[in-house]
Amino acid sequence: MHAPSLMELLPTPFRGRFLDAKLFASGGQGEIWCALDDELQRPVALKVLKSDASDYAKRLFQREIEVSAQLNHPAILPVHDSGRLIGDRPFLIMRFLPDTQTLDLARFDVGDPEVARRRRVGAVRRAAEALAHAHSRGVVHRDVKPKNIVMTEAGDVYVLDWGLAKVQEDLAITEPVVVFQSDETCVGEVGGSPPWMCPEAAHGALANLTPQADVFGLCATLYHLLTGAPPYVAADGAERLRLAREARWRPLPESEPRELRAIIERGLSREPEARQPNAAALVDQLSGWLDGVERRERARALVRATSRELSSAEVAAAQASSALERLQASLASLKPWEGEELRRPLWREIEAEEAKQREAEQLELRAEQGLRAALELAPELGEARERLADLYSRRLRDAELARRVELATRAESDLEACADPRYARLLKGDGEVTLLTDPPGARVWASRYIVRDRRMIEDKPELLGTTPLIRVSLPRGSYLFHIEREGHDTVRYPVSLLRGQHWDGVAPGGQAPQPIWLPPRGLLGEDEVYIPAGWFLAGDEDARNSVRLSRSWAEGFILQRYPVTNLQYLSFLNDLLQGGASEEEVMRWSPVDRDVPIADPLSRVFRRGPSGEIMAFPDHDGDLWPMDWPVFQVDFWCARRYAAWLSERQGAPWRLPRELEWEKAARGVDGRVFPWGDAPEVTFACLAESRPGRPLPDRISSFPQDVSPYGVRHMAGLARVWCEDLSARADAP
């Protein structure tokens, strides 16, 4: 006599319909068989109670059948049918899932922790969607835990085991406080699984559990998936039950995202009223977090791409700028009469580099748009905000260095909008000054330049301190320092302090600030000005044959305060004559009347007079040049010969100033366009349009506004000046 098979125990309506039944899984109270539904040609699962199952288990099984039949959700296995075997054992028929696994940590181990976290949250959200459907139908699961949630290989999630579910206001099955207890499960008035159990269930209020009990179970499940352990960990089930009653779960690791921790911690609140009201509310919060993560990931991808574009744009712009400076310098080195044949190749190279520069600017603009798009996706994304702040801070510094006020204002506004604390000091605008002197112990008075009546003038001086001065804070702006020490001439030392800049006087290639030399009193003549060594802004991209505004360094030098006058130049010519030079040689260095052929002896404005000395004669226009006019109509070699004569006479190494030296002496260090500031005011200098009538020079004491920060006069008007390294000059005689 053999024991009847499951197929033989099926009642008549089902017998013969299910083929090839095989035991799939077996538990303490029941079994799951898989079979083929021959009528519908689909695999099904038959869940059957064991013959020795308790009456309580039978009642729970019946509850699962009733609850499952009321629910219709893709994450809840549908019950196709139910019945009783011969012998009165209940069974139910549902969809068969051959490839499922319960939720655990390893199930989501994909290598990338961020991706794994998103998948874990996504699985719990799917389970929460199923429970939200149940809650909408008045059903509370009451035993939500990882083992009651399964996932297929395809990623489909299902909530199982609805045996402890509460339907609407129906009371729970009442039994003794604990009928059956294992490490994870207890049933009766205390029903559920202690490692994931809400406090009210642990206290035995099974009949009064609300949807917030399922919220607790969902958050406990997510806690387990994120940490690898349930909220309550203890040596035995009784201890876990005690922890559950007190809601004493271990804090989540700080490594978990703050927003996600807040969602879980709320769901694990001791009081049900403090949790999310139901699973639908939890779905909304988890969906919001997942959407935020997805947006942040898309935003981060944009940041990565734009960071590469920004790096490429910076390199390309720097290379083009360097090439343009070199090409502009080559173009400026050509003599005025050297024509198109020599200039054309340089023009073409300049056009090519300017095109590269425009391409770099476009690349930077695209990168900026990408970073802005990243912030629109994820406003809290710090790396996008930081990249934008880096970009705007560089633009701000470059614009202020180039004295581009509108661009600087826009960059400042953009940088402020980034609210990046790294640039708080830059936005404040303060800088620092380190100042050493040789010898030390000099008092430094600081006068800030202010604009008044279209001129930059010194404001009231304030004592900055005594040298050495180390990292003294000052608001950004242009200053003129007056450095005073007993026994030494006062030194005028302009300073241009940009945002966040440390002005320290470290020379190119140097490691420490270079002390400012203080000339001993009496070393400088009344007509001599000392220009200290240091950095300054040189160039003007709007000027003809000039380079872009950039920082340059010049060593200290001494310059005459006024242009060389006719009187001084006559002294030079007469000294040559008295020293034995021939009249022909002396006339070579004499100014030339521009309207008289050079071969004509009368072309020389200064020539020998009746007394035998060189003297001034009226020029072709009948003008007799006053002795306190600057000498003009001399060529480069005349100017150089005068400097050599003066050097021999005074025993000092006089020479013509170099271009950068002249520019620093005229403009100071802040890149101002004119010695008095940026306003193109013709009344401040002796220019062709400064007065009515014929344009003529004037006395060196005229136009007091045409004075540089160092006190040098007439550097914007009166007469053009030959420089030592100026290449646009005549060949040597």
Side-chain angles (χ1 to χ4, degrees):
M1 184 175 178
H2 74 284
S5 68
L6 176 66
M7 296 299 100
E8 293 173 335
L9 293 176
L10 287 172
T12 301
F14 300 100
R15 191 178 302 172
R17 177 176 173 180
F18 300 103
L19 309 176
D20 300 326
K22 297 177 182 177
L23 182 64
F24 182 74
S26 178
Q29 300 287 306
E31 299 171 338
I32 295 180
W33 293 71
C34 63
L36 175 66
D37 184 342
D38 187 51
E39 182 177 317
L40 298 177
Q41 289 297 302
R42 63 182 178 184
V44 294
L46 286 82
K47 186 173 182 179
V48 185
L49 279 180
K50 290 184 177 180
S51 57
D52 57 352
S54 67
D55 290 342
Y56 183 76
K58 292 177 182 177
R59 293 164 66 183
L60 290 179
F61 190 83
Q62 185 60 37
R63 173 63 58 85
E64 180 176 4
I65 294 173
E66 294 171 359
V67 169
S68 300
Q70 294 182 36
L71 303 178
N72 180 22
H73 190 272
I76 299 174
L77 286 178
V79 173
H80 299 324
D81 214 331
S82 64
R84 290 183 174 274
L85 299 177
I86 296 173
D88 204 34
R89 278 192 291 160
F91 70 92
L92 61 83
I93 302 170
M94 55 188 174
R95 179 182 173 186
F96 178 60
L97 300 174
D99 57 354
T100 59
Q101 293 182 15
T102 57
L103 299 186
D104 58 27
L105 202 64
R107 179 70 178 81
F108 301 92
D109 188 5
V110 293
D112 186 333
E114 296 295 328
V115 174
R117 180 184 290 114
R118 291 201 301 273
R119 291 187 178 181
R120 290 170 185 138
V121 175
V124 173
R125 179 183 65 175
R126 186 60 170 159
E129 290 172 345
L131 288 164
H133 169 72
H135 293 168
S136 71
R137 303 296 299 272
V139 175
V140 181
H141 189 285
R142 299 196 296 187
D143 192 20
V144 178
K145 60 183 179 181
K147 287 191 176 181
N148 283 344
I149 303 172
V150 297
M151 177 181 281
T152 67
E153 289 296 328
D156 297 326
V157 174
Y158 296 92
V159 179
L160 308 178
D161 291 339
W162 295 81
L164 282 180
K166 170 189 172 183
V167 182
Q168 294 181 352
E169 297 302 321
D170 187 21
L171 294 179
I173 302 169
T174 55
E175 296 280 348
V177 172
V178 176
V179 175
F180 167 81
Q181 181 171 324
S182 67
D183 283 345
E184 292 187 354
T185 305
C186 58
V187 293
E189 285 191 1
V190 177
S193 305
W196 307 274
M197 186 182 289
C198 62
E200 58 269 31
H203 278 96
L206 192 62
N208 299 320
L209 294 187
T210 66
Q212 285 153 316
D214 289 348
V215 168
F216 189 100
L218 287 165
C219 290
T221 298
L222 183 52
Y223 179 110
H224 193 161
L225 292 181
L226 292 174
T227 65
Y232 311 123
V233 176
D236 54 49
E239 175 64 12
R240 274 195 290 268
L241 190 61
R242 184 184 68 80
L243 293 175
R245 285 170 176 162
E246 299 175 3
R248 291 176 56 188
W249 41 270
R250 296 168 298 114
L252 281 159
E254 292 291 327
S255 58
E256 296 300 330
R258 179 177 54 84
E259 300 91 341
L260 185 59
R261 290 203 315 268
I263 294 171
I264 298 171
E265 289 166 358
R266 180 184 175 187
L268 295 179
S269 297
R270 182 172 183 173
E271 300 300 328
E273 297 80 10
R275 302 171 204 151
Q276 293 85 350
N278 49 45
L282 183 62
V283 168
D284 290 342
Q285 291 187 354
L286 294 179
S287 296
W289 184 83
L290 285 168
D291 290 345
V293 170
E294 182 182 353
R295 285 187 286 102
R296 283 193 292 273
E297 189 54 43
R298 294 196 339 251
R300 287 193 180 98
L302 274 173
V303 171
R304 289 192 292 270
T306 53
S307 295
R308 290 191 295 270
E309 288 182 337
L310 276 176
S311 297
S312 299
E314 288 177 11
V315 170
Q319 290 175 344
S321 179
S322 177
L324 279 171
E325 286 188 14
R326 174 180 53 81
L327 291 167
Q328 292 286 6
S330 298
L331 190 63
S333 69
L334 295 177
K335 297 173 183 177
W337 54 85
E338 291 180 317
E340 190 174 330
E341 294 76 14
L342 294 175
R343 297 173 185 272
R344 186 180 296 111
L346 291 173
W347 292 340
R348 289 177 177 170
E349 288 188 68
I350 288 172
E351 289 171 358
E353 294 301 330
E354 287 175 341
K356 292 178 184 177
Q357 206 170 46
R358 288 192 295 271
E359 290 174 4
E361 290 171 356
Q362 290 297 320
L363 190 61
E364 182 180 285
L365 287 174
R366 286 199 299 271
E368 179 186 3
Q369 291 168 356
L371 289 172
R372 286 184 174 276
L375 277 179
E376 289 178 4
L377 281 171
E380 73 286 358
L381 192 63
E383 50 260 53
R385 199 171 300 279
E386 288 177 2
R387 299 293 186 281
L388 273 176
D390 293 342
L391 171 61
Y392 295 143
S393 67
R394 178 172 56 79
R395 281 186 185 170
L396 177 57
R397 289 189 177 100
D398 290 347
E400 289 191 334
L401 183 66
R403 299 171 62 82
R404 306 290 293 274
V405 177
E406 291 184 5
L407 292 180
T409 301
R410 187 179 308 125
E412 181 180 13
S413 177
D414 289 337
L415 183 57
E416 285 177 344
C418 289
D420 191 325
R422 295 177 302 153
Y423 294 109
R425 182 169 173 268
L426 180 69
L427 286 169
K428 184 180 178 183
D430 289 353
E432 294 178 330
V433 174
T434 291
L435 210 61
L436 309 182
T437 58
D438 178 19
R443 293 202 307 170
V444 180
W445 296 85
S447 297
R448 191 171 186 176
Y449 276 111
I450 59 174
V451 177
R452 184 176 296 163
D453 295 333
R454 298 176 65 79
R455 292 172 54 219
M456 294 176 69
I457 62 173
E458 296 178 60
D459 202 358
K460 181 180 178 181
E462 295 183 3
L463 182 62
L464 200 61
T466 302
T467 60
L469 298 173
I470 308 299
R471 302 191 81 98
V472 177
S473 180
L474 280 175
R476 64 187 174 101
S478 292
Y479 294 85
L480 183 60
F481 292 173
H482 296 263
I483 306 175
E484 301 174 348
R485 194 182 192 281
E486 187 176 353
H488 296 263
D489 285 334
T490 298
V491 171
R492 297 167 69 92
Y493 185 76
V495 168
S496 177
L497 205 56
L498 302 180
R499 294 174 181 272
Q501 181 186 18
H502 180 205
W503 183 281
D504 56 13
V506 177
Q511 300 297 321
Q514 180 171 303
I516 301 166
W517 176 65
L518 305 181
R521 185 159 296 148
L523 179 67
L524 299 178
E526 292 183 1
D527 190 31
E528 295 172 0
V529 173
Y530 169 52
I531 315 292
W535 293 99
F536 66 103
L537 289 177
D540 182 357
E541 57 187 320
D542 296 326
R544 184 172 62 90
N545 293 335
S546 181
V547 297
R548 300 180 67 181
L549 196 66
S550 59
R551 292 179 79 228
S552 298
W553 174 275
E555 294 295 339
F557 60 97
I558 296 172
L559 190 68
Q560 289 186 346
R561 187 182 304 276
Y562 294 96
V564 176
T565 64
N566 289 325
L567 181 62
Q568 291 170 320
Y569 202 78
L570 278 172
S571 297
F572 153 61
L573 294 178
N574 279 304
D575 191 66
L576 291 181
L577 189 63
Q578 293 168 11
S582 67
E583 183 176 352
E584 180 182 3
E585 180 184 352
V586 173
M587 287 301 99
R588 164 62 186 91
W589 311 119
S590 178
V592 178
D593 191 335
R594 66 182 184 276
D595 293 324
V596 180
I598 196 168
D600 188 337
L602 297 180
S603 67
R604 306 299 174 174
V605 179
F606 296 166
R607 54 186 184 270
R608 204 163 190 169
S611 64
E613 290 186 350
I614 307 298
M615 58 181 294
F617 286 83
D619 62 17
H620 181 72
D621 295 322
D623 297 317
L624 182 63
W625 297 359
M627 289 298 99
D628 56 356
W629 274 16
V631 65
F632 63 106
Q633 293 300 114
V634 293
D635 62 20
F636 169 79
W637 301 104
C638 291
R640 180 180 261 191
R641 183 66 183 90
Y642 175 85
W645 167 80
L646 187 64
S647 180
E648 294 168 4
R649 186 177 186 183
Q650 295 187 0
W654 289 104
R655 58 170 172 80
L656 299 181
R658 299 186 180 94
E659 281 190 90
L660 285 179
E661 291 173 337
W662 180 262
E663 188 166 355
K664 180 178 181 181
R667 303 168 68 186
V669 300
D670 54 18
R672 62 184 65 188
V673 179
F674 305 102
W676 58 82
D678 294 326
E681 182 54 61
V682 296
T683 61
F684 291 167
C686 184
L687 306 174
E689 303 87 1
S690 298
R691 292 171 304 192
R694 289 188 302 128
L696 289 171
D698 206 336
R699 293 173 171 82
I700 61 171
S701 59
S702 62
F703 294 92
Q705 298 93 338
D706 188 2
V707 58
S708 83
Y710 298 100
V712 186
R713 298 288 297 275
H714 299 292
M715 303 195 80
L718 203 60
R720 296 178 65 184
V721 176
W722 289 109
C723 291
E724 180 64 33
D725 53 354
L726 195 63
S727 58
R729 59 178 182 256
D731 293 332

